[in-house]
Amino acid sequence: MNVYFDNAATTAIDPEVLKEMVNVLGSKFGNPSSIHSYGREAKALIEKARKAVATYLNASPSEIFFTSGGTEADNMAIRSTIDAYNIKYIISSPLEHHAVLHSIDEMVKAGKVKASFVKIKKDGHIDMQDLERLLKEHPKSLVSLMHANNEIGNMLPIDEVAELCAKYEAIFHCDTVQSVCHYPIDLQKTKVHFIAGAAHKFHGPKGVGFIYVNGNLKIHPLIYGGAQERNMRGGTENVAGIVALSKAMELAHKEMKEHAAHIQGIKDYMIQKLESTIPGIEFNGDTKGCSLYTVLNVMFPPTEDAEMLLMKLDINGIACSAGSACTSGSMQGSHVIEALGKNVDSRPVIRFSFSKYNTKEEVDFCIDKLKAFFKQPVSA
Ligand SMILES: Cc1ncc(COP(=O)(O)O)c(C=O)c1O
């Protein structure tokens, strides 16, 4: 059996999305900037996709800009806002994705801004009182806090944060890469200035994403070039990718409730199986509380070959991750687990992340392998 439990890193493309993408790649090859019929046809596909994305998010099509993925969207939200609004202060958290943290680092190193990172509670949620204290000290700053953490799954009270930001006239960027198309997002209700999305996190292709920029903002482009994306993002558009992103979004919204219930069932089943078969197991984050149904971060009991667990699982046909995909290859400790203040000495930390394609039989298979590695008596 081969088991793919690394869906927070990327998801398998849905066959219907692939079909649509191949069709566009094969027959709609015009450059959307060309004025002839081929170009107009490609341009129309992009605009149709933009309208669809805007509809699912309850935004205006003029507020959606296609990008190369989540990283570019995060970079754009941070870098372009600092330049356009002469931002001097950023408030973020130590749990953010590197797309956010490294963008902030660069801006700080360049001397453009100062940054503070909000305190984190034991369960991985941000300390709202500390956030308010920082906002009070630094009103009109840029706040960048993620909607759902890609390593531990914790979810932000996004509306509460948006209200606080409004109170202190801050600009609020929310990295929604792990939550968009898994949870409904209504941008008429949720008062954010930016959100970011990446198609490959919801069964679309890699290398395409979007940024929502609230219509009241006027920011500069991150990538300069042609007049594409209404002068906000130079470069010939990834037409097939954009069409595929919109198709993946359509499919995700069609059966969101059913998929959410199915995946939550897989996560709950895995929690129950782990707790009943491997004594001493712990979960990182607010696993049974306000947490993504797709992500389960597990801290195993101490073992001599902690670093080998991921590899052993891989050899046995189970793909999962030690943290975010960008750091898992280097076997560096996760900055997220470190920020939680956990003592992980000799304790392997593994992120299992699920999709609509996973089954309880796959969980059973994985538990059997884990039981053997930890040589615990079989129960439950
Ligand atoms: C929370 C979060 N933000 C940003 C990104 C980066 O997205 P992309 O891989 O499309 O650049 C990821 C991807 O892992 C993510 O999980």
Side-chain angles (χ1 to χ4, degrees), residues 305-326:
D305 52 359
E307 273 134 51
M308 294 298 290
L309 183 58
L310 199 63
M311 219 174 289
K312 277 187 182 173
L313 286 165
D314 185 26
I315 290 165
N316 282 275
I318 300 157
C320 45
S321 167
S324 71
C326 321

Side-chain angles (χ1 to χ4, degrees), residues 235-249:
T236 302
E237 300 90 334
N238 176 0
V239 185
I242 289 168
V243 170
L245 180 149
S246 124
K247 182 70 186 174
M249 198 173 240

Side-chain angles (χ1 to χ4, degrees), residues 143-274:
V143 172
S144 183
L145 291 169
M146 70 206 307
H147 190 200
N149 187 278
N150 51 302
E151 293 195 38
I152 56 172
N154 276 33
M155 294 195 71
L156 185 80
I158 187 171
D159 289 311
E160 232 179 287
V161 172
E163 268 171 40
L164 266 188
C165 288
K167 185 171 165 191
Y168 295 97
E169 295 177 72
I171 294 178
F172 178 26
H173 163 49
C174 190
D175 175 344
T176 52
V177 168
Q178 291 289 342
S179 59
V180 80
C181 287
H182 296 284
Y183 292 80
I185 292 179
D186 181 342
L187 292 166
Q188 296 308 309
K189 283 202 191 123
T190 298
K191 301 292 176 201
V192 286
H193 294 96
F194 301 104
I195 70 165
H200 71 111
K201 308 291 188 184
F202 50 90
H203 304 289
K206 282 165 257 307
V208 61
F210 70 88
I211 183 170
Y212 155 84
V213 182
N214 183 282
N216 295 324
L217 289 191
K218 208 97 212 80
I219 61 164
H220 302 158
L222 177 72
I223 296 174
Y224 288 88
Q228 292 92 349
E229 297 294 285
R230 300 184 311 288
N231 279 312
M232 281 297 290
R233 202 259 182 187
T236 302
E237 300 90 334
N238 176 0
V239 185
I242 289 168
V243 170
L245 180 149
S246 124
K247 182 70 186 174
M249 198 173 240
E250 176 198 321
L251 295 177
H253 281 78
K254 219 187 223 170
E255 292 182 288
M256 192 181 276
K257 271 195 190 143
E258 290 82 352
H259 291 154
H262 170 75
I263 302 168
Q264 182 74 58
I266 303 276
K267 175 173 168 174
D268 292 345
Y269 185 64
M270 181 125 185
I271 291 173
Q272 176 229 315
K273 283 279 175 181
L274 284 168

Side-chain angles (χ1 to χ4, degrees), residues 91-96 101 104 116-118 120 126 144-146:
I91 299 169
S92 188
S93 94
L95 307 184
E96 301 303 301
L101 287 180
I104 295 175
S116 281
F117 298 90
V118 66
I120 301 300
I126 65 158
S144 183
L145 291 169
M146 70 206 307

